[in-house]
């Protein structure tokens, strides 16, 4: 995948590949992301709110880790603040690094199968329970690998492959 303003580079692993970060070193922003899964396989996607970078793009909910927070603590806080649910256990799943034009981010994806409360979009975003293939678009580039991982787990052919 080529790095452009529209399509950031995505690299699996704990740190960016040498070809991801070009020029001056950039701070790696740590982000906790929740993959909320229903028993029937539906998963929650939310749209990015107006006023944020990539407004209107669909993603899995989550947000930045604050100083001293673990991934699970940040995910618990972010999901309560953003969508109004209190989660049970967050099961660490996969990490990936995405080099967006505005930030270099390490996404820590956690599967969440238990939560309490009604969904309430506190930032004016939309939400949709989806299955593969997703029916909403555009999808945030950092979300694409997750959709591929979910497809692989259910035994299907990887997206685009």
């Amino acid at each position: 995948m080529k790095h452009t303003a529209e399509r950031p580079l995505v690299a699996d692993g704990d740190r960016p590949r040498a070809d991801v970060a070009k020029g001056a070193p950039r701070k790696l922003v740590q982000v906790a992301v929740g993959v909320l899964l229903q028993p029937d396989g539906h998963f929650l996607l939310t749209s990015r709110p107006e006023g944020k970078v990539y407004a209107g793009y669909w993603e899995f909910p989550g947000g930045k880790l604050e100083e001293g927070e673990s991934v699970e603590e940040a995910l618990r806080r972010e999901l309560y603040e953003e969508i109004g649910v209190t989660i049970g256990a967050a099961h660490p799943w996969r990490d990936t690094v995405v080099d967006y034009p505005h930030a270099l981010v390490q996404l820590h994806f956690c599967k969440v199968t238990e939560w309490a409360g009604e969904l309430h979009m506190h930032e004016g975003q939309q939400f949709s329970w989806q299955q593969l293939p997703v029916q909403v678009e555009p999808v945030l580039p950092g979300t694409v690998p997750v959709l591929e991982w979910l497809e692989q787990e259910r035994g299907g052919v990887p997206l685009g492959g």
Side-chain angles (χ1 to χ4, degrees):
M1 181 182 295
K2 273 192 156 176
H3 175 110
T4 67
E6 294 79 38
R7 276 188 92 121
L9 243 172
V10 177
D12 288 322
D14 295 333
R15 54 193 162 84
R17 298 186 322 236
D19 62 344
V20 171
K22 294 182 171 77
R26 297 169 71 194
K27 182 179 181 213
L28 187 61
V29 178
Q30 303 296 318
V31 176
V33 184
V35 180
L36 276 68
L37 295 164
Q38 294 179 332
D40 66 2
H42 281 82
F43 49 86
L44 182 69
L45 291 178
T46 58
S47 64
R48 292 189 53 81
E50 290 301 318
K52 288 198 175 181
V53 177
Y54 287 97
Y57 278 70
W58 291 87
E59 66 179 350
F60 291 93
K64 296 177 192 171
L65 276 68
E66 292 181 355
E67 186 70 31
E69 272 186 323
S70 70
V71 170
E72 184 170 348
E73 290 168 338
L75 185 60
R76 189 172 305 284
R77 176 184 51 75
E78 286 284 348
L79 293 183
Y80 183 75
E81 289 174 2
E82 285 185 16
I83 65 173
V85 297
T86 302
I87 63 170
H91 305 281
W93 183 36
R94 304 235 184 151
D95 288 357
T96 192
V97 172
V98 181
D99 187 6
Y100 288 107
H102 69 285
L104 180 64
V105 296
Q106 181 165 13
L107 302 169
H108 301 275
F109 293 98
C110 298
K111 287 185 177 180
V112 178
T113 57
E114 297 176 6
W115 58 89
E118 291 294 317
L119 289 174
H120 184 273
M121 304 294 112
H122 292 276
E123 296 180 346
Q125 69 274 48
Q126 299 175 48
F127 74 92
S128 181
W129 289 102
Q130 292 285 303
Q131 298 184 79
L132 296 171
V134 296
Q135 302 300 307
V136 294
E137 58 181 36
V139 174
L140 193 66
T143 297
V144 173
V146 183
L147 301 175
E148 292 173 347
W149 300 332
L150 289 169
E151 182 70 26
Q152 290 169 357
E153 282 190 356
R154 77 175 197 182
V157 177
L159 299 175

